[in-house]
Amino acid sequence: MTGPEKQDRPLGGRWSRRGVLGGLLGAPVLFVAACTDSKGGSAPSGPSGGADSSGGPTAGSGSAGSSPKTSVAKIAVFPVTGTTDASFSQPVKVTVADGTLTSVVLADLAGTAIPGRLAADGASWTSTGQLRSGTRYTVAVAAVDRAGLEAVANTGFATATPASTFVGYFTPEDGSTVGVGMPVSIRFNKVITDRAAVQEAITVVAEPGVEIVGHWFNSTRLDFRPQQYWASGTKVTLKLRLKDVEGAKGVFGTQSKDVTFTIGRSQTSVADLAADTLTVTTDGRVTASYPIIGGAPDHRTWGGKLVISEQFQQTKMDSATVGLGDEYNIPDVPHAQRLTTSGTFIHGNYWSPASQFGHANTSHGCISLRDVQGGTDPNTNAAKFYSSSLIGDVVEVVNSGDKTVDPANGLNGWNMTWAQWKAGSAL
């Protein structure tokens, strides 16, 4: 048989062209075994003389007056049998001296085979895929020497469990329904230095299909979005395949899961701080217009496209938490919806005079709508806007007099051009 013909034989007596990555530790163990006697018959195995206690062949006894023949093929498997901390990022290797490999089967204890590649000369086999950490594997090997005598080896090893791991905390939640401006945002609990490896292990797909690109804001945050807002009704799936991906030296991922969410009705709003109005458009039709209060001249509201990232029926707002000293401390702000990480909200307001709504900008940077204390009246403007909103809806602020919000401040990557967004991809 020629070298290429051998290479095409799949596992278990036939060869596969594919493979797996596995760990290699220690020195090789050599196996020599005979399987035929001088008459070519199968030699019986026995408790003594075996090269491998896990089931390797033993030298058989020939007929009277003849000597048993033993294969001179010597098989070596890396990592060696009994290894308990093999690397899962290096390939498994099998070699044979004075012979040719005829079968290699690498599998986990559930029986899942790991494919590999046979060298053209039949003298070695290398896995070419990915082993999993903390997993036990077996390797069954057969080879023949030039006389056609067979040698076999059966070994086992376990891969190491990483000492240091990382996870990605994602938004939105699995099974949620969100607005058209909702990006997929992943924050890692460890610094990622191999951004390409991590991004390659994360896929975001949409039905109907659309191009989706990842953008790194920093070494711990990766967001995904399409060029334009999502279409209403789109089903989006985040596929995390981070298990055993090395995000930084010696730091490996642990997650392998899918997260699916749905884009709801299309709703965007425009907050015009010159006219002090909030205009709501739902599925292409203006559905509401509310008088509002925006940021005062010394605390102007960020401009640009701001995505609702959190919703609270009621929350506390303390100026000390945003670097404004003791200017305000309101324990029960109703119908609050977060627009930036730094503390910009669109929320209900029961403390300002009714005459200010639609006529004055007096806030510390938030946008407010008329409400009642406790938020118990569903007919207030703040309550109606809150009940019509989803996490992921976009509120675009115009004529605020301030600069455009930093795209990394909240889920606000829509304030980057498509070219700028794609430039932040590691792939």
Side-chain angles (χ1 to χ4, degrees), residues 401-423:
D402 205 347
K403 62 184 179 180
T404 300
V405 66
D406 182 344
N409 188 1
L411 303 177
N412 298 322
W414 300 104
N415 294 287
M416 305 175 73
T417 67
W418 188 232
Q420 290 172 327
W421 183 266
K422 293 176 76 172

Side-chain angles (χ1 to χ4, degrees), residues 80-168:
V80 299
T81 192
T83 299
T84 59
D85 58 353
S87 170
F88 48 84
S89 61
Q90 298 295 321
V92 172
K93 290 186 178 180
V94 178
T95 62
V96 62
D98 300 321
T100 301
L101 294 170
T102 57
S103 175
V104 178
V105 178
L106 169 64
D108 62 23
L109 296 188
T112 302
I114 310 300
R117 181 177 296 115
L118 177 68
D121 60 3
S124 64
W125 180 95
T126 305
S127 62
T128 55
Q130 176 81 45
L131 293 186
R132 297 172 67 86
S133 63
T135 303
R136 294 176 63 190
Y137 291 93
T138 61
V139 188
V141 186
V144 295
D145 62 14
R146 290 185 179 181
L149 298 177
E150 184 177 63
V152 299
N154 293 284
T155 73
F157 66 91
T159 52
T161 298
S164 183
T165 60
F166 73 90
V167 296

Side-chain angles (χ1 to χ4, degrees), residues 267-350:
Q267 179 166 298
T268 59
S269 303
V270 175
D272 185 340
L273 297 190
D276 284 327
T277 58
L278 178 72
T279 303
V280 182
T281 300
T282 308
D283 293 328
R285 181 174 62 90
V286 174
T287 53
S289 182
Y290 304 113
I292 57 175
I293 294 173
D298 54 344
H299 297 292
R300 296 189 187 276
T301 307
W302 297 113
K305 300 171 182 177
L306 291 84
V307 174
I308 296 174
S309 58
E310 291 182 289
Q311 295 176 307
F312 305 93
Q313 285 282 351
Q314 186 169 285
T315 192
K316 178 180 180 179
M317 292 188 178
D318 183 353
S319 58
T321 64
V322 291
L324 294 177
D326 59 357
E327 293 194 22
Y328 61 86
N329 189 345
I330 306 171
D332 57 353
V333 178
H335 297 122
Q337 304 187 81
R338 182 183 291 277
L339 299 177
T340 69
T341 306
S342 62
T344 306
F345 283 78
I346 184 166
H347 61 76
N349 177 337
Y350 63 81

Side-chain angles (χ1 to χ4, degrees), residues 128-286:
T128 55
Q130 176 81 45
L131 293 186
R132 297 172 67 86
S133 63
T135 303
R136 294 176 63 190
Y137 291 93
T138 61
V139 188
V141 186
V144 295
D145 62 14
R146 290 185 179 181
L149 298 177
E150 184 177 63
V152 299
N154 293 284
T155 73
F157 66 91
T159 52
T161 298
S164 183
T165 60
F166 73 90
V167 296
Y169 299 102
F170 53 84
T171 190
E173 295 297 320
D174 187 30
S176 60
T177 298
V178 296
V180 297
M182 187 70 199
V184 174
S185 185
I186 305 168
R187 295 178 182 270
F188 301 101
N189 67 335
K190 302 283 180 65
V191 169
I192 301 300
T193 56
D194 193 343
R195 298 185 183 185
V198 170
Q199 187 175 336
E200 190 171 24
I202 301 173
T203 305
V204 181
V205 296
E207 300 175 11
V210 64
E211 182 184 11
I212 303 167
V213 176
H215 178 94
W216 289 88
F217 284 106
N218 52 49
S219 60
T220 59
R221 179 180 171 188
L222 171 63
D223 284 16
F224 290 83
R225 51 157 273 209
Q227 183 172 3
Q228 306 296 334
Y229 296 151
W230 303 102
S232 177
T234 298
K235 179 180 178 181
V236 184
T237 301
L238 164 65
K239 300 181 179 182
L240 295 168
R241 298 295 183 267
L242 293 171
K243 181 171 173 57
D244 300 334
V245 173
E246 192 170 18
K249 186 174 177 58
V251 183
F252 295 87
T254 63
Q255 294 159 297
S256 182
K257 66 182 301 180
D258 289 352
V259 177
T260 300
F261 60 94
T262 303
I263 307 302
R265 84 286 175 272
S266 174
Q267 179 166 298
T268 59
S269 303
V270 175
D272 185 340
L273 297 190
D276 284 327
T277 58
L278 178 72
T279 303
V280 182
T281 300
T282 308
D283 293 328
R285 181 174 62 90
V286 174

